Amino acid sequence: MIYDTAIVGTGPAGVSAALTLTIRDKNIVWIGDPSLSGKVEKAEKILNYPGVAKTTGKDLNALFKEQIADLGIEIQDHMVTGIMPFGDHFALTAGEEFYEAKTVILATGIVFKVALPGESELVGKGVSYCATCDGRLYKGRKIAVICNNPRFESEVLFLADLAESVDLFAEYKDVSSELTDRANINIHSKKAGAVKGEGRVEGVETDDGVIEAEGLFILRDSVSMSTLLPGLEIMDGHINVNRSMETNIKGVFAAGDCTGRPYQYTKAVGEGNIAAHGVLEVL
Ligand code: FAD
C-alpha cells in the first residue's frame, strides 16, 4: 500500500500533523515512539501552551494521547532509519518494516547529538541502525552497541543472543539486570568517541583506547538527518524549509524543532499543521 503521507516522529509537531491529516481523511502512516515525546513528558511545568493553564509535561502528553486515541490514530513503534525517493513516492525503512508514501513529514525534533566521527562513512560497512535487519550478519561475531534509551534493550538482548560478545555503551542510567547479568554483554562506562575502521568497522574509540568490534549497532532515538535522507538541505544544523514547511526535496516537509529555533511546543504544533496543509495541496 502507498500511503498519502508518512509522518516521522511523535512529538507535538508529529501529533499536530497526524491529527490534521486524519481529520481530512488522509491515509497516513505515523512512525515513532507510541509514548510520544520524551521532551514533553519531562517538562515539569508548562506555562505557555494556550488553553491549557499551568500544566505539566505528563498531563499535556496524556491529553495528546487521548486525542490520538479518540481519532483512532495508530503509531508504528519503530525508528525510521532511511528514506529514499522511489519513483514518484518515497520508501521508508523502519526496523524490519518498509513503508511507501507519496509524501513525508519529518517531525523528528532536534538532534543534539551529531553523528560520531566515522559513523556516516561506515554506514552499511559495519555500522547499522537496525538490530532486526542486520543482526544475523553478526552471528558468532564480536560487536559493539551504542544504546541511548532503555526502549531498545530488547534489541540489545536480541543481538547478544546472536553475537559472540557485545560491548555495550549504554547512554542512560539504570541498565536493566537482564543486560547486566548477561555473560556476553560487556557494559562500558566510557563513552564511544569515534567509529574506527578503514572501509569497514574495526572498532570503537574510547578514552581508554580502541575496543575491537566487527560491527557497530547504533540504537538511538534519533538518526542524523544526513543519514536519514541523503540530499536533504541542512542549514545551521536544522532542516531548511520555506514558509509552507517544504524542504528542498519535493514532497518532503519538515516541522518542529528540526526546522530551527525557538524550540517550543506551540511552534512545533503550528508547523505540524502547516506541513499537513502543504501535504493536502500536493496530493
Ligand atoms: P520532539 O518533541 O523532540 O519529538 C520528536 C520525536 O521524534 C521524538 O519522540 C523522537 O524520538 C522522534 N524521532 C526522532 N527521529 C526519529 C526517527 N528517525 N524515526 C522515528 N521517530 C523519530 N517548550 C515550550 O514551549 N514550553 C515549555 O515549557 C517547554 N519545556 C521544556 C522542558 C524540557 C525539559 C525540554 C527538554 C523541552 C521543553 N520545551 C518547552 C521544548 C519542547 O519540548 C520542544 O520544542 C518540542 O517538544 C518540540 O517538538 P517536536 O515535535 O519538534 O520534537
Side-chain angles (χ1 to χ4, degrees):
M1 176 200 295
I2 301 182
Y3 293 93
D4 289 326
T5 197
I7 302 171
V8 184
T10 51
V15 170
S16 170
L19 292 173
T20 301
L21 288 166
T22 303
I23 291 164
R24 294 292 293 267
D25 281 335
K26 295 300 156 199
N27 188 12
I28 67 167
V29 59
W30 188 14
I31 311 156
D33 186 346
S35 62
L36 307 184
S37 167
K39 282 193 194 160
V40 179
E41 192 75 21
K42 281 180 198 149
E44 275 177 51
K45 201 181 274 179
I46 300 168
L47 300 171
N48 65 343
Y49 201 93
V52 194
K54 289 187 245 162
T55 191
T56 63
K58 272 195 181 6
D59 287 346
L60 185 62
N61 223 17
L63 287 173
F64 285 157
K65 283 183 188 163
E66 193 181 318
Q67 212 170 1
I68 293 161
D70 278 352
L71 288 177
I73 309 175
E74 284 178 12
I75 295 171
Q76 308 304 318
D77 185 4
H78 296 294
M79 285 299 291
V80 174
T81 49
I83 305 173
M84 290 300 288
F86 205 62
D88 60 352
H89 62 278
F90 297 90
L92 292 91
T93 315
E96 54 190 1
E97 302 296 328
F98 180 77
Y99 301 98
E100 292 177 83
K102 294 177 199 161
T103 57
V104 175
I105 297 177
L106 299 169
T108 52
I110 187 72
V111 182
F112 288 114
K113 197 157 186 112
V114 291
L116 291 173
E119 176 182 332
S120 301
E121 295 85 331
L122 293 170
V123 172
K125 296 171 186 149
V127 169
S128 171
Y129 300 100
C130 177
T132 27
C133 319
D134 297 329
R136 286 184 199 287
L137 301 174
Y138 295 91
K139 208 165 181 186
R141 296 166 79 176
K142 185 172 160 53
I143 61 169
V145 178
I146 297 171
C147 178
N148 83 342
N149 192 320
R151 178 179 165 218
F152 305 123
E153 284 193 346
S154 60
E155 296 188 37
V156 179
L157 287 168
F158 169 74
L159 289 169
D161 284 341
L162 292 165
E164 179 195 298
S165 65
V166 172
D167 282 286
L168 176 64
F169 299 88
E171 298 178 338
Y172 57 91
K173 288 187 192 137
D174 301 326
V175 175
S176 83
S177 58
E178 272 190 290
L179 269 65
T180 52
D181 291 351
R182 268 298 178 98
N184 72 338
I185 299 182
N186 230 337
I187 301 179
H188 292 265
S189 54
K190 298 280 179 190
K191 283 196 166 169
V195 191
K196 303 306 281 181
E198 292 294 324
R200 209 170 159 91
V201 169
E202 290 165 15
V204 175
E205 190 173 75
T206 72
D207 287 350
D208 290 341
V210 174
I211 309 286
E212 279 180 31
E214 295 173 84
L216 170 66
F217 286 83
I218 301 180
L219 311 175
R220 286 195 197 117
D221 49 13
S222 62
V223 175
S224 86
M225 283 300 152
S226 49
T227 316
L228 192 63
L229 177 49
L232 187 68
E233 206 170 277
I234 306 290
M235 199 187 277
D236 298 329
H238 299 105
I239 302 171
N240 202 15
V241 286
N242 63 18
R243 283 188 61 83
S244 304
M245 297 297 130
E246 289 170 299
T247 69
N248 65 311
I249 299 174
K250 201 168 179 293
V252 179
F253 297 77
D257 283 4
C258 62
T259 70
R261 292 173 193 280
Y263 302 143
Q264 295 276 273
Y265 301 125
T266 44
K267 171 186 173 282
V269 165
E271 290 190 355
N273 179 274
I274 299 171
H277 281 88
V279 163
L280 290 171
E281 288 205 1
V282 299
L283 282 177

